[in-house]
Each structure stands twice: as C-alpha cells, then as structure tokens.
Amino acid sequence: MTVGGNRSKAGLVVGLGFVALGAIVAYDTAVMRIPPTYAKVGPQVFPYLTAMALALLGAFFIFQGRAGKNEALHADTKETDWTALAAISAGLLSQALLIEFLGFIISAALLFVLVAWGFGSRKIVRDSVIAIVLSGVVYVGFTQFLNLQLPAGIFKGLL
Amino acid sequence: MGAMESLMQGFATALTAQNLLWSLLGVTLGTFIGILPGIGPALTIALLLPVTAKLDPTGAFIMFAGLYYGAMYGSSTTSILLNTPGESGSIITSLEGNRMARQGRGAAALSTAAIGSFVAGTIGTMLLTFLAPVFVKVALRFGPAEYFGLMVFAFTAATALLGSSVARGLASLVLGLLIGLVGIDVLTGQTRLSFGIPSLFDGIDVVVVAVGLFAVGEALHIASRPDLRNAELSAVKGSLFMTREEWSRSWKPWLRGTGLGFPFGVLPAGGTEIPTFLSYMLEKKLSKRPQEFGAGAIEGVAGPEAANNAAVAGVLVPLLTLGLPTSATAAILLVAFQQYGLQPGPLLFTGSSSLVWGLIASLYIGNAMLLVLNLPLVGLWVRLLTIPAPLLYGGILVFSTLGVYSLNHSLVDLVLLYILGLLGFFMRRYDFPVAPCIIGLILGPMAEGQFRRALAISQGDPSVFLTQPISAGFLLAALVIFVAPIVFRRFRPSGT
C-alpha cells in the first residue's frame, strides 16, 4: 500500500458503492410492513444497523481516498488483463444461461474453454477436447453413480 | 461419562471398515484438492457439500474430518513448492519453505512440515478431547445474552485480527452481514432484501457465497494479473528422511508452535494467521542462526506449520461445543452440520454423542493416515502441480458451477455465483480479507436471533447484555480487541 499523497479514484467508487448498498437496505427495511406486536425488537433493527455501518464505511473510504490517507484504496497491480476477465465472465454467464437449454455437457465445456482462453491458452482444439471429455465424464458420473440430476439439454433422451 | 470413555466409544465408531474408508477418502480428497494452488480447506468442503448430501451423517462427518486435516497438509505442500499459499495459515510456511525448496532442500522442508503437522495435529486433537467436555459444561449455562456477547466478540476478533486493516476487515464483515440478511426472517416471517425473487426467500446459500468469493474470485484475480499466472514450481530435491541435525532443529519449534497455535484456535481470535506469524517471530528470536531466516531456515517451516495445524484443531473446540465458527473453514463445517439437521453446541454432545466422538476419533486416525499418505507419496501429489494453469482453472470453475447448480438446480444461484465472484475479485484487488465476510454471513443471523431472544426474555430491556456478567465480559473483551490494535499501531515502528 502506498502511504500518503496518493489520491485514489477506487476509494470513491467503492465508497459510493457502500453508501448505495446502505441506502438500498434502509429503503427495503423502511417499506417492510410489520405487525404491531413485533414493533419493539422486530426484524428491522439489524437491517438498519447494517445500513448505517455500510454508509459509515462508504463515507470513510471516500474520505480516505480523497485525502490520500493510509486507507486509500489502490489496486494491487498496475496491469490488469481485462480481456481475460471478460472471457471468464462470458464463460460463467453462458453457463448460467445455457445449462438448461443446451445441457450441462455443452455449457460446462464452453465454460472450460473460455476460462482456459482467459488464462492465456491458445490451443483451442486441445482445450475443447479436454473440456468435452471432462464434462461428459462428470455428467455420467453424477447422474449414474451419485444419483444427482444434471440437465441433459439437447441430448435429452439420448443419454 | 469421562472424556476417555467417550473417546473409546468414538474409536469404536470410527474403526469400522466402512468409516475407515470414509476417512481414507476424506484425507485423500482433502490432500488432492488442498494441493491445487489457490484452493483451501473452506472451498474444498464447500464444493463437496452438495455431493455428500445423501450420505449418512456419521460417515459424512468422518470424511469431513479427513478433508479438514487433509486440505491443510495439501496446502503446505503447495506453499513450499510453488510459493502460492492456498490459505492464510500457509503464508508463513512459504516464506522459508519455498527458499529451502529452491536450494534443493525441498524434501526436508516437506518432511518437517508433514511431521510437524502430525505432531501438532495429534497434540491438538488430544487437547480438544479433554477440553470439549469442559466447554460443554460451561456452554450449558449460556443463555441468549451470553451467546450474543460471545458472537460480538467473535465478530470483532475476526475483523480486527484478519487482514491488513480494521476498516477493511469491518467492511468485509458488514458485507457478510448484508448477505446474511437476505431471505425470510425466521422469527416473524418477513422477507428481507429479496426484491420479490422467490429463490431469494430462503436466503443466499453459504456454499454459493464461499465458492463465489474463494474459487471464482481467486480465478478472476489470477487471470487479471499475468504476473501471477505462471508460478514457478520447484522440484522435490534431497532426502525425505531428515538428518539428525534437522530433527534436532525441528522438534522444539514443533512443540512451541503447537503451544502457540492451539489457544489461538480455541479463543475466537481469528484463526491461523496470527499464531503462525508469532511462531515464526519466536523461532527467529530463539534460533542460534537467525541469519538463516529469510534464506531457508528449517525452524521457520517447522514452527509455523505446527502452529497452523494446532490452531486448526483448536478451532474445532468452539465450533463443536458452542456452535461458534471462528474461521471460514469452521463456518462451512457448521453449514455441513446444519445440512444434516444437526446444531453444534453443548446439546450435540448429548444428542449425537456417537457422531461427535466418532468425528474426534477419526481426527486421530486421519492425522496418522495423512502422514503415511503425504511423505512417501509426495512425488505423486506434486504431479498435480504441473497441470497448466488454463486447464486447472477451467476444471476448478466447471466443478464450482456444478457444485452450486446441484444445490438447488437454480439459475439464480449461478448468476449470484458470478456476482459474488466479482465481489471476491475486487476484494482481492483492493486488499480486503475474505474470511470475515464468510464469518459475518454465518454468525450474523445467529447473533440477530440471540439478540432478539435475549430482549424478548428481558421484555425489551437492553441493559440485559451489560448486567449479565458473562455477556458483559465478552462485550468488554470485544471492545478491547477493537481498540487495542489501533493503539498498538500508533506505537509500532513502521515497516513491519
């Protein structure tokens, strides 16, 4: 961590994020309809405390960032490989969107290949073969031996 | 019934052929997964939770006991050979251990780590055996106010002692508390922070949070930094049989490390980071050759590694007797108990005594198995470290999404997994500790329940927390632990 004289933009963003979260919690708690019997120590006390803590922490990080103090937030690296992050994000989101439509085998294989690409592998053919074998073995193992259901997707009726 | 007698019954449970197999499976899987870089024991158990959902509880917990110790052994191998500690307790091990490996003394480092872990684990488990019944007796007198005080103490210990600063620890804890709020409030049936999404009514599953923050967060973090992607693997060189000199330099640090580690684990004082660090400093101070520290001193592996394992055994004391998790791994173990409808705490020892003592007995057995499994077979395990990072992380994320999806077959969980992964990534990027978040998530709802129950009993009078001596004591201790580091930091010379 760099000490002193180093303003941080991240501190502002993270701080505002905390404040916003606090506001959401406070709003959600305020609109809660509580039967009067529970009014005293009801389900609202802890959310309000949490909202307050979030807002205070947010303000703290904004202040520390603006004043360039010890607690100013700085990334741990100067170079960030955003393409790698995008590839892995695409893999995880496609797993969520496609698992029930295309089935586990294909969506998991896609995830594997995208993650491998994100980690710098460019041997797409090798990765795809490993991915299909892995997700196929996992699918059969889980559904046949552990008795846990996974979506078959387009292979429905075949496997 | 005395502790000895209970333990013997535990051995009778654990030594059946079937349960020995579960134990063997646990230690093997634990070592296997623990050795993979970036995966610690918390994640190992989280990933296996969905798979074990259909096992009988005794077998499952015997396996978890094996996993718990196994993942620790695996992590230390990785930190010695690869210099990428899988969990926070192994960071110190990698300091000297990796140096030794680079000088071609990797085998000796692995030996002293494994034997030290065995010694510390065995002594730690013995202390657990005899301390647990004492704790149970005390815990039986605890009411809601006492539990609330204890949990507040655990919160502050986790935030003040883990990570680089109190503010960041607190931020992580509050995020955990926030995630814990989601879902239906147990006492009134009100939904909180669910935004009308039905799958959020049951709350966010701890497995989703743990896998998201640990596995997905770690993968995104490593991928974002090309400088971290390819760590250099040191080959195992030298003899696994330690020389007479290495033995004589190791045994005292093992015992001192155990003495430091266990109490830190038992007190809810933030897990393994501090005792391993203290042990390192102590060995450096006591050593006749302090100049070797930083250049591969065997004491610097032996002490911290023993402290680490002793603390891990110590953590089980509050977990089993009070239901209080003080580390991320213990938090996941608590969830594992709840998955089987078991609530750790004093009543577990009366209600499910054969399960608890079977678990404790299998800790002894697992520890012995691990020594055999790790020393001669280390060459085999090391092969795992040669898997290229792209394939390794591809596999880790496939298993992560698989584990999360098979919990509830919910697509919302997979989206949450990604969001929490992003959170884990930013926490690593800006140096926030992850463990307080998991502890807050598990302990938050428990603390809230005890708080409201205590107030219901006192008919809304909040002074109950201060007039009960035990509760007041815990709250005072919490205040001290929170203020002490701030004061301490003022007087500490910079650069440490």
Side-chain angles (χ1 to χ4, degrees):
Chain A
M1 253 174 294
T2 346
V3 179
N6 223 336
R7 283 153 151 253
S8 107
K9 219 185 275 172
L12 183 68
V13 178
V14 172
L16 287 177
F18 270 86
V19 174
L21 277 176
I24 295 173
V25 178
Y27 173 76
D28 181 84
T29 313
V31 297
M32 215 185 265
R33 266 166 299 169
I34 309 291
T37 37
Y38 293 117
K40 213 177 239 166
V41 247
Q44 290 173 300
V45 180
F46 263 58
Y48 275 136
L49 287 176
T50 310
M52 220 159 63
L54 284 167
L56 286 175
L57 282 164
F60 176 80
F61 285 121
I62 293 172
F63 167 74
Q64 294 274 329
R66 289 199 73 79
K69 298 241 176 172
N70 283 351
E71 297 279 343
L73 302 180
H74 294 286
D76 61 350
T77 170
K78 291 233 155 54
E79 312 166 61
T80 308
D81 186 348
W82 294 105
T83 7
L85 289 180
I88 298 173
S89 301
L92 287 165
L93 289 173
S94 68
Q95 170 82 317
L97 294 174
L98 301 176
I99 189 169
E100 284 180 0
F101 178 60
L102 293 178
F104 173 81
I105 298 182
I106 293 179
S107 66
L110 189 61
L111 167 68
F112 186 97
V113 174
L114 280 165
V115 173
W117 195 86
F119 271 85
S121 165
R122 293 294 175 270
K123 299 170 185 161
I124 295 178
V125 177
R126 178 199 70 174
D127 294 347
S128 307
V129 172
I130 296 176
I132 294 280
V133 171
L134 178 78
S135 59
V137 168
V138 167
Y139 181 86
V140 174
F142 265 63
T143 49
Q144 304 299 311
F145 300 104
L146 287 169
N147 215 9
L148 292 168
Q149 287 312 306
L150 289 173
I154 50 171
F155 295 118
K156 206 166 195 170
L158 285 174
L159 284 170
Chain B
M1 197 160 55
M4 247 2 248
E5 209 177 316
S6 312
L7 183 65
M8 285 305 132
Q9 286 194 352
F11 272 109
T13 313
L15 283 172
T16 60
Q18 197 192 2
N19 285 340
L20 276 174
L21 262 178
W22 284 124
S23 186
L24 184 66
L25 185 69
V27 294
T28 314
L29 270 176
T31 315
F32 180 85
I33 305 183
I35 220 164
L36 299 175
I39 299 196
L43 185 63
T44 309
I45 298 176
L47 280 178
L48 284 167
L49 269 185
V51 186
T52 52
K54 287 176 183 164
L55 297 182
D56 90 289
T58 310
F61 279 99
I62 283 177
M63 191 176 91
F64 286 141
L67 276 173
Y68 188 62
Y69 277 3
M72 304 300 301
Y73 275 77
S75 298
S76 49
T77 306
T78 316
S79 53
I80 289 169
L81 295 179
L82 205 58
N83 202 11
T84 50
E87 40 89 46
S88 53
S90 303
I91 293 170
I92 303 288
T93 309
S94 66
L95 284 180
E96 298 298 322
N98 193 249
R99 287 283 146 69
M100 287 181 73
R102 285 177 188 204
Q103 294 166 2
R105 289 154 65 211
L110 288 170
S111 289
T112 195
I115 301 171
S117 298
F118 172 75
V119 170
T122 308
I123 298 176
T125 312
M126 277 181 202
L127 292 170
L128 162 70
T129 310
F130 294 102
L131 263 183
V134 181
F135 265 65
V136 165
K137 258 184 209 145
V138 178
L140 281 171
R141 292 199 211 139
F142 278 21
E146 283 79 11
Y147 271 113
F148 178 72
L150 182 63
M151 283 164 185
V152 170
F153 177 69
F155 280 151
T156 47
T159 50
L161 302 177
L162 294 175
S164 57
S165 82
V166 177
R168 284 155 205 245
L170 199 60
S172 173
L173 177 84
V174 173
L175 285 174
L177 294 176
L178 171 72
I179 300 169
L181 284 176
V182 176
I184 291 174
D185 169 47
V186 214
L187 295 176
T188 59
Q190 288 282 336
T191 56
R192 296 193 292 198
L193 293 172
S194 304
F195 312 106
I197 303 169
S199 39
L200 289 183
F201 290 169
D202 288 332
I204 297 176
D205 210 298
V206 181
V207 174
V208 181
V209 181
V211 176
L213 289 180
F214 286 116
V216 181
E218 177 79 9
L220 289 170
H221 181 233
I222 304 276
S224 78
R225 291 183 55 179
D227 54 323
L228 288 184
R229 269 190 222 151
N230 292 305
E232 192 190 332
L233 176 69
S234 314
V236 187
K237 285 195 194 127
S239 165
L240 276 169
F241 293 99
M242 295 196 293
T243 60
R244 183 181 288 269
E245 192 213 343
E246 283 161 345
W247 277 100
S248 74
R249 287 177 66 179
S250 292
W251 73 269
K252 280 185 203 153
W254 289 338
L255 296 181
R256 284 194 289 257
T258 310
L260 272 173
F262 190 79
F264 267 94
V266 174
L267 298 173
T272 53
E273 255 173 67
I274 296 186
T276 50
F277 180 72
L278 286 178
S279 161
Y280 183 78
M281 298 310 283
L282 181 72
E283 294 312 327
K284 193 173 173 182
K285 196 154 215 170
L286 292 175
S287 171
K288 288 184 195 115
R289 282 161 281 207
Q291 72 281 3
E292 279 186 23
F293 276 76
I298 196 166
E299 294 92 339
V301 181
E305 210 31 47
N308 189 11
N309 267 55
V312 158
V315 162
L316 292 174
V317 176
L319 176 70
L320 293 175
T321 60
L322 296 165
L324 189 77
T326 53
S327 71
T329 317
I332 307 289
L333 266 179
L334 182 69
V335 175
F337 274 103
Q338 288 164 346
Q339 179 178 290
Y340 286 97
L342 299 163
Q343 183 58 49
L347 299 178
L348 187 72
F349 279 80
T350 46
S352 321
S353 95
S354 78
L355 182 137
V356 178
W357 288 104
L359 187 150
I360 294 176
S362 68
L363 288 172
Y364 290 95
I365 299 168
N367 215 1
M369 281 185 186
L370 277 164
L371 193 62
V372 180
L373 204 63
N374 272 273
L375 276 185
L377 296 180
V378 73
L380 203 69
W381 296 118
V382 170
R383 295 250 173 99
L384 283 173
L385 291 175
T386 59
I387 300 174
L391 303 181
L392 180 68
Y393 282 96
I396 289 174
L397 290 192
V398 165
F399 278 100
S400 299
T401 53
L402 171 70
V404 164
Y405 181 77
S406 49
L407 281 174
N408 304 314
H409 292 257
S410 153
L411 298 183
V412 175
D413 280 352
L414 284 178
V415 175
L416 281 173
L417 176 75
Y418 175 62
I419 295 171
L420 288 158
L422 281 180
L423 179 66
F425 163 68
F426 283 109
M427 287 173 86
R428 281 174 175 76
R429 187 175 165 87
Y430 295 109
D431 198 23
F432 286 86
V434 175
C437 183
I438 304 280
I439 294 173
L441 165 67
I442 311 275
L443 272 184
M446 287 164 67
E448 186 189 9
Q450 303 289 8
F451 177 77
R452 284 159 67 183
R453 232 165 281 147
L455 283 180
I457 295 170
S458 74
Q459 295 178 322
D461 175 14
S463 71
V464 61
F465 298 109
L466 300 175
T467 50
Q468 305 272 0
I470 299 177
S471 150
F474 280 130
L475 290 174
L476 186 71
L479 192 70
V480 168
I481 221 170
F482 210 64
V483 175
I486 299 171
V487 177
F488 190 58
R489 237 160 247 173
R490 284 270 150 85
F491 295 106
R492 196 171 60 174
S494 56
T496 38

